Amino acid sequence: MLQLTVEQTQNLKDFTETHYAQGSFFWNYLLKNREIKINGVRVGKDVLLQKGDVVTYYLSKKQEEKSAFYTVYEDDNLLIVDKESGVNSEAVFAALSRVGEYYFIHRLDRNTAGLMAFARNAKAELALKEAFKERTVTKIYHALCFGTFEKKNAVLTAYLKKDEAKSLVRVYDEERKGTEKIVTEYRVIEEFDGFSKVEVTLHTGKTHQIRAHLAHVGCPIVGDMKYGLSEKNKKIKAARQCLVAKSLSFKQADGLAYLTEKTFISRFEANIVKGS
């Protein structure tokens, strides 16, 4: 059992996805079996929550123990975790905050697996945010894409514009009003059966940059239903984008010098996650 208090008006489903990963994993089960109570009353559908509402989840011990993330490294200043695909970054932070004091540094898309860093004190938070801002932390991603890249490695430049109304971004070859420059580097690791596995380094960090940029050059990420090939994804039952935040390397972190030259590696691979 887990009991949580609502801090702002929002739907039960949205609240669950950002506060309780295990509840999100077993969302359909919880509703079907009416294993959620709001202010002591069982519910069997998504409802609107108000600030101050108390939500109680009833899962089996086995369901509660389903991992949403794994600890890769931890000291007095830093925690690095390996997030499962299908888990909101906010839900990871919420779980950590229930057991200690942590500071949110950066996020991953819900369906992107891999490494996330959290600070464990205010001084480390400033140091880590500065390191990520100045790109003295190198983030390497692995992606499985449809198609074959024209070049085996390249640095791609384009221009990205957010479409807030549709919750997506658009990529253009030329600068347009409202666009931001993006730079994405890739290296082909492997090619097989019409797929390419690539290593990606971001030189800019914009919303959905990797997914949108690779789709723009004709090699969308497998399982990406927003920027990818919907029919092909459905045919192979790819349920989530095959994208992993594979490594974090600290080139320099002022105030955290002991991290210099340290590299952390995700356990996850950019493989197809099958859906039903």
Side-chain angles (χ1 to χ4, degrees), residues 8-24:
Q8 63 182 29
T9 301
Q10 62 186 133
N11 290 332
L12 174 60
K13 189 174 193 299
D14 293 336
F15 177 80
T16 303
E17 289 181 349
T18 55
H19 288 77
Y20 189 31
Q22 287 72 22
S24 181

Side-chain angles (χ1 to χ4, degrees), residues 85-124:
S85 175
V87 176
N88 273 339
S89 297
E90 292 79 5
V92 176
F93 179 65
L96 293 172
S97 297
R98 288 194 284 272
V99 297
E101 185 174 24
Y102 293 88
Y103 297 76
F104 215 147
I105 303 300
H106 66 109
R107 71 183 306 282
L108 294 177
D109 289 344
R110 174 191 177 96
N111 289 331
T112 298
L115 300 179
M116 294 183 66
F118 296 87
R120 298 209 56 200
N121 56 66
K123 184 177 179 180

Side-chain angles (χ1 to χ4, degrees), residues 170-194:
R170 301 184 186 280
V171 176
Y172 304 95
D173 290 322
E174 305 295 335
E175 186 175 9
R176 299 188 182 188
K177 183 179 179 180
T179 60
E180 298 177 281
K181 184 178 180 179
I182 57 172
V183 182
T184 308
E185 181 177 357
Y186 74 85
R187 178 180 66 84
V188 175
I189 300 171
E190 182 183 7
E191 295 176 338
F192 59 96
D193 300 330

Side-chain angles (χ1 to χ4, degrees), residues 145-163:
C145 302
F146 287 114
T148 303
F149 288 81
E150 183 178 347
K151 297 179 180 179
K152 302 311 175 189
N153 58 79
V155 178
L156 306 173
T157 300
Y159 297 87
L160 177 148
K161 185 176 182 179
K162 288 185 180 180
D163 186 335

